[in-house]
Amino acid sequence: MRPTILALDLEGTLISNAISQIPRPGLFQFLESVRSQFDELVMFTTVPESLTHSIAGLLVREGSAPEWFSQLPYVQWSGKTKDLSYVCPRLGSALLLDDYGPYVHPGQEQFWVEIPLFASPYSDDDKGLKVAAEHLNERLSTLRSLGP
């Protein structure tokens, strides 16, 4: 099954954190790229929904994210891990892009795309989103070669 949904973490993945809200270098281009690869993008983060939407709006206003980014659906979830069944009941339909392994739900490791943590000192030369894009491309290519 080819994943059609990409669940995006926010803190340490797309931005620094919910306090400083520094966009990761290459964020705009990365978001445009993954939007063309997946049917749906969703926010799957520990940051409360209202703050997530506020941060997304700020990123759009600053020109760090495309206009549509502020309209992404927010996944409501509970527990200690990010269970992808909250995103889609059909396991394998969604991938999780996250920097923090302990949030990966047990048994769903094959659907996790790891990204290096974006942490202080925040470098303008950070290549985390490029690394993530390569991992996503590899994962999607592998799944395509396996067939339907």
Side-chain angles (χ1 to χ4, degrees), residues 58-137:
L58 175 65
L59 292 170
V60 168
R61 286 190 302 280
E62 289 178 340
S64 298
E67 186 74 32
W68 52 262
F69 181 67
S70 62
Q71 303 303 315
L72 289 182
Y74 180 92
V75 177
Q76 296 287 342
W77 61 288
S78 62
K80 295 182 182 199
T81 60
K82 295 180 179 179
D83 184 346
L84 287 169
S85 69
Y86 284 103
V87 175
C88 182
R90 202 170 61 249
L91 208 53
S93 292
L95 295 177
L96 171 65
L97 180 68
D98 204 310
D99 64 293
Y100 191 60
Y103 277 135
V104 178
H105 192 70
Q108 296 181 5
E109 295 81 5
Q110 71 268 32
F111 306 118
W112 176 39
V113 178
E114 185 175 7
I115 183 169
L117 171 67
F118 184 49
S120 181
Y122 304 107
S123 169
D124 290 339
D125 295 331
D126 176 82
K127 303 283 189 243
L129 290 171
K130 287 186 180 193
V131 169
E134 290 169 9
H135 289 177
L136 282 166
N137 286 333

Side-chain angles (χ1 to χ4, degrees), residues 3-29:
T4 58
I5 304 167
L6 180 61
L8 299 164
D9 175 51
L10 186 60
E11 292 181 297
T13 298
L14 302 180
I15 65 168
S16 54
N17 56 60
I19 306 289
S20 62
Q21 304 173 10
I22 299 167
R24 193 166 204 159
L27 179 61
F28 193 104
Q29 297 82 358

